[in-house]
């Protein structure tokens, strides 16, 4: 792609060379920067009110918009916002609710020679923020004031924004298409699992009614058994030398050391934690959202969780799929106590429910079928995710090269 005819050293190591007629300045010379305060959930409204046109902050980094609300006095519409997580957006006016509390920084231009969206692109892709999550959470006005940005002419800023809006719009549509393919594959995977664990593999098998809302019918030769007769609760404690476990919806119950997500670290009271063995099932606080989790490692976990051990451990793979199926999750949603964020599964209620029990050889066939079919779907999903990451990297590189003048677009 075309480059400018002349370049000069910006004087900033991480920025390198910039076009000879551009300037490099500290960001606080162009913007008034102040903290925006905490955005409270009760400030949100789904009802349109033209007298309060709350600003919406659209993220320049991904196909998904990031929304955050604050008062107009704190964040004027023609401004740039930076959240505590380092997410950057350009403020426009329209309404959409957002369900988190976010720490905001507001950058308002000091003069009319600034195109805010140019600098939203720049800050989002070029300025190096620390990768430390704790530091990002404490992102302050002082940190961002010390950063340098390029300063092209006003007409160049407008041209660059126009170019990037067009290119990024097309890239985002491509990303949305691939994300939709992933969603369709996920739906296909769920249908395969749900049909297999509730109807078996023989489409011609005779069915019988169950009078169970979440499971209207099952193959005639299958049993229906209450959960309390298939599982026993494990309440063993006082195993302080066992490793800590994490109950996750994506990986099941695994060693905390294997889990890359954020966890609450326990430093004391190990004697009061429950023992979990490989093949056990764990009902954690959010099971009603994603199913009951199978334990792949032995260790200890919060005593707030219910640990279930199968009376016949050879059946665990069938139940692993049943407990993550959409019909069973619908059942779990009827067995919750508490409200909103405090909801959790009431096992005393859940264990009275009947669940399907195919013959053991049929369970094995169902597991083998699901494993084969879902592995192919997972392979396709993995390839799509890799493509998405490559496209996102290309988008970031394009934005960075354009706003730093490595590519000439005007």
């Amino acid at each position: 792609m075309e480059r400018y005819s002349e370049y000069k050293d910006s004087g900033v190591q991480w920025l390198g060379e910039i076009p000879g007629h551009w300037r490099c300045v500290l960001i606080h010379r162009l913007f008034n920067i102040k903290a925006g305060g905490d955005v409270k959930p009760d400030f949100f409204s789904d009802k349109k009110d033209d007298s309060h046109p709350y600003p919406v902050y659209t993220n320049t980094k991904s196909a998904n918009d990031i929304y955050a609300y604050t008062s107009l006095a704190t964040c004027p519409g023609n401004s740039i916002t930076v959240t505590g997580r380092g997410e950057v957006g350009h403020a426009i006016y329209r309404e959409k609710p957002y369900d988190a509390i976010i720490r905001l920084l507001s950058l308002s231009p000091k003069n009319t020679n600034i195109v805010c969206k140019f600098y939203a692109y720049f800050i989002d892709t070029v300025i190096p923020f620390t990768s430390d999550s704790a530091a990002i959470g404490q992102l302050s006005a002082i940190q961002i004031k010390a950063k340098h940005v390029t300063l092209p002419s006003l007409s160049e800023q407008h041209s660059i924004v126009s170019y990037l809006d067009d290119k990024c719009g097309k890239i985002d549509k491509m990303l949305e298409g691939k994300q939709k393919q992933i969603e369709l594959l996920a739906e296909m995977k769920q249908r395969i699992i749900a049909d297999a664990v509730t109807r078996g593999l023989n489409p011609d098998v005779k069915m019988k009614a169950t009078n169970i809302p979440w499971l209207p019918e099952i193959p005639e030769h299958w049993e229906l058994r209450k959960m309390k007769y298939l599982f026993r609760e494990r309440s063993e404690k006082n195993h302080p030398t066992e490793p800590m476990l994490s109950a996750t919806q994506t990986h099941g119950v695994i060693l905390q050391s294997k889990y890359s997500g954020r966890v609450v670290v326990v430093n004391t009271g190990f004697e009061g934690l429950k023992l979990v063995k490989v093949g056990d099932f764990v009902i954690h606080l959010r099971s009603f959202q994603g199913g009951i989790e199978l334990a792949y490692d032995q260790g200890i976990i919060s005593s707030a969780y219910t640990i279930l051990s199968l009376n016949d451990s050879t059946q665990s793979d069938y139940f692993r799929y049943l407990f993550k199926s959409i019909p069973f999750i619908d059942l779990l949603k009827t067995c919750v106590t508490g409200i909103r964020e405090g909801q959790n599964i009431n096992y005393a209620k859940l264990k009275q429910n009947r669940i399907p029990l195919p013959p053991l050889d049929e369970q094995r066939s169902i597991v083998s079928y699901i494993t084969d079919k879902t592995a192919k779907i997972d392979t396709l999903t993995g390839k799509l995710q890799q493509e998405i990451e490559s496209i996102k990297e290309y988008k970031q590189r394009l934005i960075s090269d354009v706003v730093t003048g490595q590519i000439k677009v005007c």
Side-chain angles (χ1 to χ4, degrees):
M1 302 185 77
E2 186 179 0
R3 284 171 57 83
Y4 291 88
S5 58
E6 184 180 351
Y7 285 83
K8 66 182 179 183
D9 185 0
S10 66
V12 180
Q13 184 177 3
W14 56 264
L15 187 54
E17 291 187 334
I18 60 174
H21 64 291
W22 288 18
R23 292 170 57 197
C24 179
V25 299
L26 287 168
I27 198 168
H28 74 82
R29 297 191 179 278
L30 304 180
F31 292 90
N32 295 308
I33 305 171
K34 65 177 182 179
D38 289 331
V39 184
K40 304 297 183 183
D42 58 7
F43 188 80
F44 307 151
S45 171
D46 291 318
K47 184 178 180 181
K48 180 65 179 174
D49 182 355
D50 292 331
S51 65
H52 297 287
Y54 306 132
V56 173
Y57 306 101
T58 57
N59 186 12
T60 60
K61 183 174 289 186
S62 68
N64 298 320
D65 284 349
I66 288 181
Y67 300 100
Y69 286 69
T70 186
S71 68
L72 297 181
T74 302
C75 264
N78 184 30
S79 65
I80 298 171
T81 62
V82 183
T83 74
R85 296 189 296 267
E87 297 157 332
V88 180
H90 173 230
I92 58 176
Y93 289 109
R94 61 188 175 89
E95 280 195 87
K96 190 175 180 77
Y98 188 73
D99 62 359
I101 298 177
I102 298 178
R103 187 73 178 173
L104 293 174
L105 293 179
S106 170
L107 288 75
S108 304
K110 289 184 175 181
N111 58 62
T112 58
N113 292 323
I114 298 170
V115 179
C116 266
K117 198 164 187 182
F118 172 87
Y119 288 100
Y121 277 125
F122 190 102
I123 295 169
D124 194 29
T125 58
V126 181
I127 290 183
F129 291 115
T130 175
S131 60
D132 179 72
S133 58
I136 290 176
Q138 298 298 319
L139 188 63
S140 68
I142 294 175
Q143 285 178 275
I144 200 167
K145 282 180 179 179
K147 303 298 183 182
H148 287 81
V149 293
T150 57
L151 181 59
S153 68
L154 185 61
S155 62
E156 285 179 299
Q157 292 178 47
H158 279 296
S159 296
I160 288 171
V161 167
S162 178
Y163 174 86
L164 288 177
D165 283 350
D166 176 64
K167 293 294 185 182
C168 291
K170 293 175 181 176
I171 292 172
D172 287 346
K173 285 187 180 297
M174 188 184 306
L175 289 170
E176 288 170 4
K178 292 190 179 296
Q179 187 59 47
K180 182 64 176 178
Q181 292 180 54
I182 289 177
E183 292 170 3
L184 290 173
L185 286 172
E187 291 174 6
M188 182 188 300
K189 181 176 178 178
Q190 278 292 350
R191 284 197 301 271
I192 289 172
I193 294 172
D195 287 347
V197 297
T198 61
R199 304 184 67 85
L201 305 179
N202 182 0
D204 300 321
V205 70
K206 188 175 181 180
M207 306 294 285
K208 64 181 178 183
T210 64
N211 296 317
I212 299 174
W214 69 275
L215 187 68
E217 58 181 15
I218 60 172
E220 189 176 43
H221 63 287
W222 287 18
E223 293 184 60
L224 280 172
R225 300 280 298 278
K226 285 188 177 182
M227 285 188 64
K228 66 179 182 179
Y229 298 129
L230 294 171
F231 299 88
R232 60 184 180 277
E233 290 187 61
R234 187 189 299 280
S235 299
E236 295 178 46
K237 297 181 180 180
N238 199 26
H239 293 271
T241 60
E242 291 283 350
M244 285 294 302
L245 300 175
S246 290
T248 76
Q249 290 185 0
T250 52
H251 306 292
V253 181
I254 58 176
L255 292 173
Q256 198 172 89
S257 59
K258 293 181 180 179
Y259 184 51
S260 58
R262 298 179 65 179
V263 297
V264 177
V265 178
V266 177
N267 294 316
T268 59
F270 295 103
E271 294 82 0
L273 302 182
K274 288 182 179 178
L275 177 67
V276 179
K277 293 186 176 182
V278 175
D280 286 350
F281 289 92
V282 174
I283 304 178
H284 62 92
L285 301 180
R286 291 293 174 266
S287 288
F288 69 94
Q289 295 176 337
I292 301 175
E293 308 300 339
L294 176 68
Y296 294 93
D297 295 307
Q298 178 169 313
I300 50 178
I301 203 164
S302 169
S303 59
Y305 295 168
T306 301
I307 317 301
L308 301 180
S309 178
L310 270 165
N311 292 326
D312 183 353
S313 61
T314 60
Q315 301 170 349
S316 63
D317 282 338
Y318 168 76
F319 287 110
R320 169 167 61 97
Y321 285 120
L322 175 68
F323 289 165
K324 300 293 284 185
S325 68
I326 294 299
F328 186 82
I329 292 172
D330 289 340
L331 167 63
L332 290 176
K333 291 176 181 177
T334 69
C335 300
V336 296
T337 57
I339 57 174
R340 290 188 180 181
E341 295 302 312
Q343 290 183 324
N344 53 70
I345 299 296
N346 181 345
Y347 183 63
K349 182 178 181 180
L350 176 62
K351 69 182 181 180
Q352 299 299 328
N353 283 272
R354 295 180 297 163
I355 60 177
L357 185 66
L360 190 56
D361 60 341
E362 196 168 347
Q363 291 180 38
R364 295 188 181 113
S365 296
I366 289 170
V367 168
S368 178
Y369 171 82
I370 293 175
T371 301
D372 178 64
K373 292 291 185 182
T374 58
K376 294 175 181 177
I377 293 175
D378 290 342
T379 297
L380 290 174
T381 300
K383 289 180 179 178
L384 284 168
Q385 289 172 334
Q386 289 177 354
E387 291 174 10
I388 286 174
E389 290 306 310
S390 295
I391 293 170
K392 286 181 177 180
E393 289 174 8
Y394 168 77
K395 178 183 175 182
Q396 292 295 96
R397 185 71 262 169
L398 175 67
I399 296 172
S400 177
D401 285 346
V402 170
V403 297
T404 59
Q406 306 312 303
I407 295 176
K408 182 180 180 182
V409 299
C410 54

